[in-house]
Amino acid sequence: MTIFDYVAVHYDIGNIVGFSAIEHGNSSKAMLIESTQGKFVLRKLRNEQQAWIEYEMVQALASVNISPSMVQTKYEIPYITYNNEIYNLQIYIEDLLPRSQSNIDFVRLGQVIGLFHRMTNHLKVAGMEDRFELSQLWREVSNVVLASSSEQIRMLAQLTEECLKFRKTNHSVIHGDLGMWNLLFTEESIYIIDFGEVRMDDHHFDLAAVLASTIPSLTHSQELGKIMADFEDGYVQENADFNRRQLYEQLQVWMLRGFLAVIRERRRPSTIGYVKRNMKLLGVFERILCRIE
């Protein structure tokens, strides 16, 4: 029995007529399933803990329609186990817009992220760890960074030292990987997907992830200031806790984690240019968020 036969047996979705791979999300492999009752997304998860936490997150967000609905099995369980692997099934969102950084309504985006934090702050996610924790990343790549012939890369050592000194505030439920790749846009709505990195942490980390991944690195200061004001206006409508200096700290952490991950995976032949462009953007964020002239 294939995974698709297994899905057809365990979910009340009619007959499956087609399937294909999709790329949305980062922490789960996903397939688009077309059946006689609609379209669905089948996602492979790490374990049962992730399955239950994702279900709780989606349930908390169901009333405000900012995450695709999850389908329960015929036995009212939010996941299946096939060949010792865990999968869940969600409704497929139709009429998605291309991920264009130039067409984002940042007031609306801020509202959606604020709403996400407000609707999930009562959940318990104890035991979910940060799989890309900064000190661990640094231990893995410090030798490469310190031995680099590029001053730009070697300077990441100082940035790492500064970021590791930031006060930890693990008081909020956060998405943990709230980049552009985990947002879906339609004409009417913005949806948040893929809760595989959910944990307790500083909610400004999510804000940093959203902003750093949706704002082009060459954005000039005046335009960035307008984006930040719009995003903050939207966010505080749903969640009053917005601190610009904490946001700047978490922007440094988010970007640094990205730099170190790229170095670790050796995924970019132009790592120096990537770091240089984003450090320049970080400097613009600093001037705006910390009121530096």
Side-chain angles (χ1 to χ4, degrees):
M1 180 180 291
T2 69
I3 178 63
F4 305 106
D5 295 328
Y6 196 82
V7 167
V9 168
H10 286 79
Y11 288 98
D12 188 15
I13 61 172
N15 297 323
I16 294 178
V17 297
F19 55 86
S20 59
I22 56 178
E23 297 180 354
H24 291 302
N26 253 15
S27 66
S28 311
K29 295 181 180 179
M31 297 287 292
L32 171 63
I33 291 181
E34 298 185 57
S35 81
T36 52
Q37 293 188 16
K39 294 181 180 180
F40 305 87
V41 178
L42 179 69
R43 300 172 55 248
K44 182 179 178 181
L45 310 179
R46 291 194 303 277
N47 50 42
E48 290 186 4
Q49 182 186 32
Q50 181 185 350
W52 281 110
I53 286 179
E54 291 211 359
Y55 176 69
E56 291 175 5
M57 297 289 290
V58 170
Q59 290 296 100
L61 300 172
S63 64
V64 291
N65 193 34
I66 59 171
S67 181
S69 300
M70 191 169 292
V71 183
Q72 291 195 4
T73 68
K74 295 175 181 179
Y75 315 103
E76 298 186 346
I77 299 173
Y79 64 91
I80 57 173
T81 303
Y82 174 80
N83 284 350
N84 296 317
E85 302 283 0
I86 306 297
Y87 297 83
N88 64 14
L89 194 69
Q90 293 183 327
I91 301 296
Y92 177 74
I93 302 297
E94 301 274 8
D95 302 319
L96 295 178
L97 299 176
R99 284 179 173 146
S100 171
Q101 294 173 317
S102 60
N103 298 320
I104 296 174
D105 179 344
F106 280 92
V107 175
R108 177 58 183 152
L109 182 58
Q111 288 176 327
V112 168
I113 306 307
L115 190 58
F116 166 77
H117 285 149
R118 181 165 64 82
M119 298 299 294
T120 59
N121 64 6
H122 66 285
L123 298 179
K124 305 297 182 183
V125 294
M128 293 293 284
E129 298 181 353
D130 182 355
R131 297 193 300 144
F132 305 95
E133 199 269 330
L134 182 56
S135 60
Q136 176 62 34
L137 273 175
W138 177 245
R139 283 192 293 271
E140 294 176 9
V141 303
S142 57
N143 290 340
V144 176
V145 171
L146 295 172
S148 174
S149 60
S150 166
E151 181 182 2
Q152 194 79 50
I153 299 299
R154 293 197 305 274
M155 287 175 61
L156 296 180
Q158 180 181 347
L159 181 57
T160 301
E161 183 179 352
E162 293 171 358
C163 287
L164 289 172
K165 293 178 181 177
F166 293 155
R167 182 173 61 90
K168 291 284 286 183
T169 55
N170 301 337
H171 304 313
S172 304
V173 174
I174 71 165
H175 182 283
D177 190 26
L178 199 47
M180 185 76 161
W181 46 89
N182 281 326
L183 298 171
L184 303 178
F185 296 85
T186 68
E187 289 286 356
E188 302 297 329
S189 304
I190 301 173
Y191 297 92
I192 299 172
I193 62 170
D194 197 344
F195 303 107
E197 303 299 334
V198 166
R199 62 182 185 276
M200 301 299 293
D201 211 325
D202 186 337
H203 65 279
H204 292 89
F205 184 81
D206 278 349
L207 309 189
V210 170
L211 291 167
S213 63
T214 56
I215 298 174
S217 59
L218 298 179
T219 302
H220 58 77
S221 181
Q222 184 176 358
E223 183 181 1
L224 183 57
K226 174 65 164 58
I227 289 172
M228 287 301 311
D230 286 348
F231 184 83
E232 181 176 357
D233 285 347
Y235 187 81
V236 298
Q237 291 179 33
E238 299 292 345
N239 189 335
D241 190 0
F242 187 102
N243 183 292
R244 287 191 160 212
R245 184 162 290 277
Q246 282 181 251
L247 174 55
Y248 176 62
E249 288 183 355
Q250 294 304 311
L251 278 162
Q252 293 176 80
V253 172
W254 171 263
M255 289 191 176
L256 176 60
R257 284 165 54 126
F259 299 154
L260 299 184
V262 165
I263 293 170
R264 182 182 65 179
E265 304 298 332
R266 295 177 173 82
R267 290 181 298 186
R268 287 177 183 262
S270 56
T271 300
I272 296 173
Y274 167 71
V275 171
K276 186 175 182 179
R277 287 192 305 275
N278 283 280
M279 287 298 292
K280 183 177 180 180
L281 177 62
L282 192 58
V284 181
F285 273 120
E286 180 183 21
R287 289 193 294 274
I288 292 171
L289 294 172
C290 302
R291 300 297 184 186
I292 296 174
E293 299 298 334

